[in-house]
Amino acid sequence: MSHFATKESQIRVAVWVVWFLVILAALVQSSTGMPTAPTSPLLGVVVHDAAQSGALFPWLSTSRWKKWALHQYRTWRSTYQRAKRTAQMARLAMQGVLTMAQVVDWLTASQMRYQLGALPVLYAVLETLQVRRIINRHCPGACDVDYGAVAIVLVLNRLMLPLPLYQIADWVGQTVLVSILGIPTSKFNDDRLGRTLDVLYPHLNAIWGDIVAVALQKTGVDLSVVFYDVTAFVTHGQHPESQLVDFGFAHNTPSNKRKLKLALNAAADGNIPLLYQTWSGRTADQATVETNLNNLAAWLHKRGKPLHESLIVGDRAMLNAELALLCDKFGLRHLTGLKATSPQLKAVIGRWSDAQIECHPLVEGPSPQYWGRTCDIPFVHEDQCTTHKGLVVVAGPLRDQWRQARKAQLQALEFSLEQLSREIGQPRLRSVKAVQRRVNAKMRNSAVKQFLIVTVNTTLTGEVKLSWQCQQAALTEAERLDGRYLLVTNDWSLSPQEMFRLYRQKDGVEKCFRLCKNDLHVSPLYLHQDQRISAMLFLNMVALLVYTVLQRQMQQQGVQLTTRRLIQRLEPLTIIETICWDGSSLRRLTPDDPDLLALLEQVAGTLDDLLQAAIPAHQPKTLPGTTASSTVHLLPDPMRC
């Protein structure tokens, strides 16, 4: 303490000496009779002429080398003292005075945790499919952030944690994308994201076509069977000027909600999305088929695929006489369900009894539950006619379900009529008219009213009587058609078993729709402009493409995981970045789980085939300044531990 007190006194004395010298120099200069300016233009303003009067502070040097030397000395002294303290702390820690945790905490300037999860896997697939490169080629820009990078961030967000545009920046800041892309979080504000959607809109078809071409080239997807279906996405809010969002009918969606529709073609091989188109919510599903056939025929022709080699599988709402003739005109093979709306088709479906059909099983096994008989289905439209091959299918489980449901409905209706019969004579139920009114209300709300004949009359004693009788003939006819539906194809070489097997696989495109609605959260849409809605649907389709390509690749390599399950398994992975006082940094992967690391390496092996696959001739093989690699690294260089 005495040493510090002495040092402080010395400093105080030195300061007073300096001030004394300054005052003394000023007095000496004023006493020499130095000429002054004649008359000051402003009272209180001191004018100094360096040429005549000399330097204002003559005791200070005009050279600044001393200041530079002092700065260098102080920097060296600070570094030396920090190193000295570090060495002292290390010696103390080795002697047991301090713990290693205290030393690390003393040396650490800051520490950040970034979410890793499945981002390396999904990012590797996007890079393999050249999504960023293709978007930048179609949408070049002079901004500091390219549109391809913004699109990749939006696609990854749809796959990992779908959020509205205004929350994307917060999500990016919590992930390693900032290190991978080298772009600060502030660049991903909702204004920039909205502008990116506007820029993408005029080029959506071209960009999608190029991305799908790369995916097909690298995966070798079989295009011999293509599924086609239409779904609806419910929207919220007002869309007064929208040509897409409108009221309309769609299965499993409320009729009082605005919606838009999406038509999708997906390959049976891996359910890979190939071609899609947005439609207004008021568009009927069948009205989209003709346009889709034209687009699909042009798309297959552009890729050198003969039309007769592809089989289009559609739902039963996708076929009529005009569309059947159109398929023959294009030379496209189709396999479609046909709704029995006419008496002729109903007669075809009920032509055989259950015993006659059950002699022709459609699946192998000792107790098949599906049977079918072939038939001819004629189509006539505007003086043109054609005949396609039909298959009447009887689904045993569906037949039993329909019959049990009808039986339960009949029992419920008869029970309600019995209750009404016991209530006759009570107030408001003492006349035939009153009872008949109550019977009409019950029959109106029943789905099996056509199978009962209900009569209300008056007995000889004047009592009101209610009676009913089952129409056994109508019930037998309805049971005859239970569980039956009709398949139609213009490919006469398909066997009944092949027709049934291929049609049952059509739920592949429905799985794509479920992924869009449940995992990618396409709905609800927070956008109100048709251009941005279409661009956001495009990004969701790219996310769906990445999802299905990755899942197909894993299954081919024996990894029995869905993409969603893989994302869930890798979700705990994080990167901890530690920055020390000397500016150095350390990145560590946590948790250090051998199972997760083994899964990452296994997935990396499955992606090697995609990376090594040939690239289409019209696509550049590498970006400027980059080189191709023969191995997929799921931890990019900024993140490697």
Side-chain angles (χ1 to χ4, degrees), residues 28-90:
V28 171
Q29 187 170 357
S30 62
S31 63
T32 56
M34 184 177 297
T36 59
T39 305
S40 178
L42 294 176
L43 184 63
V45 176
V46 179
V47 179
H48 173 72
D49 188 353
Q52 298 179 3
S53 306
L56 181 62
F57 303 103
W59 61 87
L60 294 180
S61 174
T62 57
S63 176
R64 296 188 177 183
W65 68 270
K66 293 182 180 179
K67 183 177 181 181
W68 175 84
L70 179 62
H71 176 71
Q72 295 296 323
Y73 167 73
R74 288 176 176 174
T75 302
W76 172 83
R77 185 178 62 180
S78 176
T79 304
Y80 170 76
Q81 290 177 352
R82 189 185 302 113
K84 185 177 180 180
R85 286 196 300 269
T86 302
Q88 292 175 351
M89 289 293 180

Side-chain angles (χ1 to χ4, degrees), residues 120-122 124-125 550 553-554 557 559 561 566 570 596-609 632 634:
V121 180
L122 302 174
V125 178
L550 177 59
Q553 196 70 16
M554 288 192 300
Q557 299 297 326
V559 182
L561 283 177
L566 175 67
L570 299 179
L596 292 181
L597 297 179
L599 179 60
L600 275 175
E601 293 300 327
Q602 192 175 12
V603 174
T606 64
L607 296 179
D608 276 340
D609 293 342
V632 174
L634 295 185

Side-chain angles (χ1 to χ4, degrees), residues 544-557:
L544 178 63
L545 179 64
V546 172
Y547 189 105
T548 53
V549 166
L550 177 59
Q551 183 168 285
R552 175 183 180 273
Q553 196 70 16
M554 288 192 300
Q555 292 177 353
Q556 286 189 344
Q557 299 297 326

Side-chain angles (χ1 to χ4, degrees), residues 156-210:
L156 290 174
N157 177 256
R158 305 315 299 177
L159 289 164
M160 296 285 294
L161 183 64
L163 294 171
L165 294 184
Y166 68 91
Q167 296 180 359
I168 298 294
D170 296 336
W171 175 77
V172 173
Q174 300 173 4
T175 67
V176 296
L177 290 176
V178 176
S179 298
I180 297 177
L181 301 175
I183 303 173
T185 304
S186 59
K187 298 294 183 180
F188 295 99
N189 56 76
D190 54 345
D191 290 335
R192 182 183 297 275
L193 301 180
R195 291 194 301 270
T196 301
L197 297 179
D198 294 336
V199 172
L200 290 177
Y201 174 72
H203 312 281
L204 294 181
N205 292 334
I207 295 173
W208 175 257
D210 289 348

Side-chain angles (χ1 to χ4, degrees), residues 99-168:
T99 64
M100 291 299 295
Q102 292 174 311
V103 176
V104 171
D105 180 67
W106 183 79
L107 296 175
T108 300
S110 63
Q111 191 174 74
M112 297 294 294
R113 178 185 294 268
Y114 299 101
Q115 181 187 7
L116 181 66
L119 282 175
V121 180
L122 302 174
Y123 184 84
V125 178
L126 284 168
E127 286 295 297
T128 304
L129 298 181
Q130 306 176 10
V131 174
R132 182 178 182 180
R133 185 181 316 170
I134 292 172
I135 292 178
N136 288 335
R137 187 172 69 248
H138 287 278
C139 305
C143 302
D144 51 350
V145 180
D146 58 272
Y147 296 115
V150 178
I152 281 183
V153 168
L154 290 173
V155 171
L156 290 174
N157 177 256
R158 305 315 299 177
L159 289 164
M160 296 285 294
L161 183 64
L163 294 171
L165 294 184
Y166 68 91
Q167 296 180 359
I168 298 294

